[in-house]
Amino acid sequence: MERLNQTNSVSEFILLGLSSRPEDQKPLFILFLIMYLITITGNVLIILAIHSDPQLHTPMYFFLSVLSFIDIWYTTTIVPRMLVNFLSEKKTISYAGCLTQMYFFYALGNTDSYLLAAMAYDRYVAICDPFHYVTIMSCHTCVLLVAFSCSLPHFHSLLHTLLLNQLSFCNSNVVHHFLCDINPLLKLSCSSIFVNDLIIKTEGLVFWVTPFLCIVFSYVRILIAVLRVPSAAGKRKAFSTCGSHFTVMILFYGSIFYVHLQPLSSYTVRDRVATLVYTVLSSMLNPFIYSLRNKDMKRGLGKLMGRRKS
């Protein structure tokens, strides 16, 4: 971060947040504090339920427990800073703090994306090739998929963070967002962002779209396989195993593509709201989506709560 003192006159950024009206700050603080506590509690319960119930020791729930763990840290990267800013008059974040938040925001967010792709592959194998499921989705394969999903996004995030650190910020330091996202930061740069923009539209696009295409391919194959099932009960069972994951995928990717697949100049307040969907809201709703629509998770959570009471 030595570049900061050499080329940048900006030593900190001001995060405007969701609203600049003083009367909105305390209600927003209470709302997001409740959402944060629900997110942490829900995801911790998912992890504990899966860990404590041997019947949930399967690849699908292994991926789900890792997703819940990542969601805890993903939300923690964003919400605590929002809570501080809601009650602060300055609403500032240091230059180094801003780049650090952006790094983990992209690293953990993309880890979520690749874990969703791994979960889609798991459902594809379970439905389309059930007789070889145990062999294909072995413990070794699951660990490799998780290791890949958790490591590759960090290299992607590091690339964009280092490129952003090469820019100069010598004019405004006001970020029209509630976090340090790359698009609003690029708009503040007084140096050329050609390389950054090129990398976003090439490497970034490939990196974001690849897991999405894997999910789409998996679900197309699943849909074809399910439509071939003769009985209605068999179709319902197959769809029930994928419904929760498909709901999370639509919520997550729908908001991501809305924000990022548009010109940098058109970044508005609606993009801030959409960012909330795939960051805070998605992480909070995941435990409910996976537990309320899943009998095995309901049973596991019931056992966990019963054990806590006794």
Side-chain angles (χ1 to χ4, degrees), residues 84-96:
V84 170
N85 286 347
F86 284 140
L87 300 182
S88 172
E89 292 185 5
K90 283 189 172 183
K91 304 183 187 301
T92 57
I93 182 171
S94 68
Y95 180 85

Side-chain angles (χ1 to χ4, degrees), residues 3 8 164 166-171 186 188-194 196:
R3 284 192 77 258
N8 288 342
L164 188 72
Q166 299 303 309
L167 302 179
S168 296
F169 299 92
C170 47
N171 297 317
L186 289 177
L188 298 180
S189 174
C190 55
S191 54
S192 173
I193 61 170
F194 174 78
N196 304 73

Side-chain angles (χ1 to χ4, degrees), residues 38-230:
I38 291 173
T39 301
I40 300 300
T41 303
N43 283 290
V44 167
L45 286 175
I46 291 289
I47 295 170
L48 292 176
I50 293 172
H51 178 75
S52 62
D53 189 347
Q55 292 184 331
L56 297 180
H57 293 177
T58 63
M60 181 175 74
Y61 295 110
F62 170 64
F63 291 134
L64 178 56
S65 65
V66 177
L67 181 69
S68 292
F69 179 76
I70 295 298
D71 276 345
I72 291 172
W73 292 107
Y74 187 37
T75 310
T76 301
T77 301
I78 302 165
V79 178
R81 168 56 60 179
M82 291 178 68
L83 295 177
V84 170
N85 286 347
F86 284 140
L87 300 182
S88 172
E89 292 185 5
K90 283 189 172 183
K91 304 183 187 301
T92 57
I93 182 171
S94 68
Y95 180 85
C98 189
L99 291 191
T100 301
Q101 186 189 55
M102 193 192 86
Y103 170 82
F104 284 106
F105 168 58
Y106 278 99
L108 297 174
N110 283 297
T111 298
D112 260 10
S113 179
Y114 277 80
L115 283 173
L116 288 175
M119 293 170 76
Y121 176 70
D122 171 73
R123 292 300 84 206
Y124 158 72
V125 176
I127 293 174
C128 298
D129 196 5
F131 296 110
H132 297 97
Y133 178 76
V134 176
T135 305
I136 297 173
M137 298 304 297
S138 63
C139 180
H140 179 70
T141 301
C142 293
V143 171
L144 281 179
L145 285 172
V146 168
F148 176 81
S149 300
C150 293
S151 58
L152 186 63
H154 283 273
F155 293 105
H156 166 77
S157 182
L158 182 63
L159 170 64
H160 288 275
T161 304
L162 291 176
L163 286 174
L164 188 72
N165 191 44
Q166 299 303 309
L167 302 179
S168 296
F169 299 92
C170 47
N171 297 317
S172 173
N173 67 335
V174 178
V175 180
H176 294 266
H177 213 323
F178 58 84
L179 55 79
C180 290
D181 198 357
I182 192 166
N183 283 346
L185 287 173
L186 289 177
K187 291 177 73 173
L188 298 180
S189 174
C190 55
S191 54
S192 173
I193 61 170
F194 174 78
V195 175
N196 304 73
D197 196 41
L198 180 65
I199 295 298
I200 289 173
K201 290 178 179 177
T202 53
E203 183 273 346
L205 188 61
V206 171
F207 192 84
W208 292 329
V209 172
T210 298
F212 176 74
L213 293 179
C214 291
I215 293 172
V216 170
F217 173 80
S218 297
Y219 274 102
V220 168
R221 295 296 301 271
I222 288 171
L223 180 61
I224 294 171
V226 170
L227 291 177
R228 291 174 181 169
V229 176

Side-chain angles (χ1 to χ4, degrees), residues 21-33 86-87:
R21 296 167 57 188
E23 61 269 24
D24 292 340
Q25 303 309 303
K26 286 186 179 179
L28 285 171
F29 173 84
I30 295 171
L31 174 63
F32 280 90
L33 177 61
F86 284 140
L87 300 182

Side-chain angles (χ1 to χ4, degrees), residues 207-278:
F207 192 84
W208 292 329
V209 172
T210 298
F212 176 74
L213 293 179
C214 291
I215 293 172
V216 170
F217 173 80
S218 297
Y219 274 102
V220 168
R221 295 296 301 271
I222 288 171
L223 180 61
I224 294 171
V226 170
L227 291 177
R228 291 174 181 169
V229 176
S231 67
K235 291 180 180 178
R236 280 196 300 269
K237 182 178 180 181
F239 280 126
S240 68
T241 63
C242 302
S244 300
H245 180 260
F246 188 74
T247 303
V248 170
M249 189 269 290
I250 292 296
L251 184 70
F252 187 75
Y253 277 104
S255 53
I256 284 180
F257 287 142
Y258 175 83
V259 172
H260 292 283
L261 295 184
Q262 58 180 312
L264 180 62
S265 58
S266 63
Y267 207 79
T268 64
V269 67
R270 287 181 297 179
D271 298 293
R272 280 183 259 173
V273 176
T275 302
L276 277 176
V277 175
Y278 72 83

